[in-house]
Amino acid sequence: MVAGNSDVRPVAVRHDASPGAGRRRGAGRVAGLGLGAVALLTTLTGCDVGAAFGGFGWPQGGITPESQRMYDLWIASCIAALAVGVFVWGLIFWCVVRYRKRGNTLPVQTRYNLPMEFLYTIAPILIVSVLFYYTAIVQTDVNRESENPDVTVEVVAFKWNWQFNYRDGQGVEANTVASTLGTSEVIPVLVLPTQRSIRFEETSRDVIHSFWVPEMLFKRDVFPGNVRNTFEVSELRTEGAYVGRCAELCGSYHAFMNFELRVVSPERYDQFLAAKQDGSSTQEALQAIGEEPYAVTTRPFETRRTTSNFNPDNAPAGSGS
Ligand SMILES: [Cu+2]
């Protein structure tokens, strides 16, 4: 239809001389001021905006500075996306109203408007570049490891539990000074202090697991073999008990592979470690510093497998139908 219409003029037509141009320029200025004000307001009250909208789906209540930085990045990205979204929705509705069909005359065609095409090619690239820039900064920050962390703990994962080794240094060469081993009866409790930087060094005895404490808003895979995944938190801010989980499907009891992170004051952490080194069990050492001896956020899993319900006929392996 368009091709056959001799009235089509593939050039942009300037409206500056039309009677309504002044009014439109004024409206544009008001809209621009409004957008600027909204942007300024959201920048100034960024944190409150995040809280008001439930973190835009991001979990709140992270207990490390790293989790706070990731949260801030998410909130800022959401606000930026919403600002772009509101602007685009505004343009769409404005066009729908302003250029609604009024007759059979073909509207002004604005193809090959180079400045416009340049703008909507450059603008997304700029937006993505800014997002990439801040993402790279936060990611580098979260992955940063210090020369000499205050505490180093070796996380050993196996089907289907955890062992936590408190180390006297970094790397495989360091020695374990105290250890906590999880069993089917007792959930392993990882005791760590506030106000100190903590390095986690991960290794697996069998398959790939993943060390995850939801309140740290961070998880990292635990690999078997000689790959030693590490990460660090610059501090744990809030004392308390936090459930930890395996976040990598690792077999039948993956869902029950829980542990507990118990964050205590640095003084009580030192007392706990001293008690462990003196030969106390983790439960005795926890009791010695006035903590609950057993996990309070999760409990040992019940396998519910006996010969009567799992393999009632006592059929030997390989004889299944
Ligand atoms: Cu696992």
Side-chain angles (χ1 to χ4, degrees):
M1 284 188 294
V2 171
N5 193 326
S6 58
D7 287 343
V8 173
R9 290 169 297 158
V11 287
V13 174
R14 292 172 64 86
H15 287 283
D16 286 5
S18 69
R23 199 175 63 235
R24 279 198 295 276
R25 268 205 303 278
R29 242 180 254 130
V30 170
L33 273 176
L35 267 181
V38 169
L40 188 68
L41 203 70
T42 47
T43 311
L44 293 175
T45 60
C47 296
D48 298 331
V49 170
F53 288 92
F56 292 114
W58 188 273
Q60 297 178 77
I63 56 170
T64 61
E66 286 77 9
S67 62
Q68 186 62 44
R69 265 170 240 143
M70 291 185 280
Y71 176 82
D72 290 344
L73 173 68
W74 174 253
I75 298 299
S77 304
C78 283
I79 290 173
L82 275 174
V84 173
V86 166
F87 178 65
V88 172
W89 293 327
L91 275 181
I92 290 172
F93 288 120
W94 178 68
C95 289
V96 166
V97 175
R98 175 75 179 77
Y99 296 106
R100 66 189 182 279
K101 188 173 180 184
R102 292 192 180 87
N104 287 325
T105 322
L106 198 67
V108 175
Q109 301 298 295
T110 52
R111 287 172 298 169
Y112 313 117
N113 186 326
L114 275 183
M116 282 300 283
E117 291 191 6
F118 188 71
L119 182 73
Y120 62 59
T121 306
I122 290 298
I125 291 175
L126 275 178
I127 293 170
V128 170
S129 303
V130 170
L131 287 177
F132 179 81
Y133 172 76
Y134 284 107
T135 304
I137 284 182
V138 172
Q139 183 177 295
T140 309
D141 213 31
V142 168
N143 278 327
R144 182 171 294 127
E145 291 180 2
S146 62
E147 281 285 300
N148 217 345
D150 300 325
V151 175
T152 302
V153 62
E154 183 183 51
V155 174
V156 184
F158 58 94
K159 292 194 286 190
W160 286 276
N161 224 313
W162 304 87
Q163 183 178 28
F164 301 114
N165 297 327
Y166 301 86
R167 309 278 280 177
D168 62 0
Q170 293 83 52
V172 278
E173 307 300 324
N175 300 305
T176 295
V177 296
S179 182
T180 293
L181 176 66
T183 67
S184 299
E185 285 76 42
V186 180
I187 291 284
V189 179
L190 170 61
V191 181
L192 288 173
T194 53
Q195 300 166 33
R196 291 185 185 168
S197 60
I198 296 152
R199 168 92 51 94
F200 296 86
E201 299 187 350
E202 305 175 334
T203 178
S204 168
R205 290 282 176 264
D206 35 51
V207 298
I208 300 176
H209 302 271
S210 182
F211 178 86
W212 180 35
V213 178
E215 270 78 9
M216 281 167 32
L217 303 188
F218 189 87
K219 57 181 99 151
R220 177 147 286 168
D221 278 3
V222 186
F223 290 141
N226 52 13
V227 180
R228 206 173 168 82
N229 263 354
T230 59
F231 73 96
E232 205 169 304
V233 296
S234 46
E235 73 168 318
L236 295 165
R237 282 178 167 161
T238 323
E239 290 184 30
Y242 306 96
V243 71
R245 305 185 189 282
C246 176
E248 181 74 52
L249 182 57
C250 57
S252 306
Y253 295 114
H254 153 73
F256 305 103
M257 197 172 149
N258 292 348
F259 61 94
E260 182 170 296
L261 169 67
R262 194 75 65 82
V263 183
V264 299
S265 67
E267 299 75 36
R268 289 198 299 156
Y269 170 76
D270 291 337
Q271 290 166 14
F272 168 83
L273 210 56
K276 283 286 291 175
Q277 284 175 286
D278 282 346
S280 299
S281 70
T282 300
Q283 274 60 49
E284 290 165 348
L286 276 168
Q287 224 153 14
I289 60 168
E291 284 282 323
E292 280 289 327
Y294 292 96
V296 293
T297 57
T298 182
R299 51 196 160 78
F301 64 91
E302 169 63 70
T303 65
R304 294 190 292 271
R305 284 188 180 180
T306 64
T307 43
S308 65
N309 68 13
F310 174 58
N311 194 10
D313 301 329
N314 268 334
S319 65
S321 54

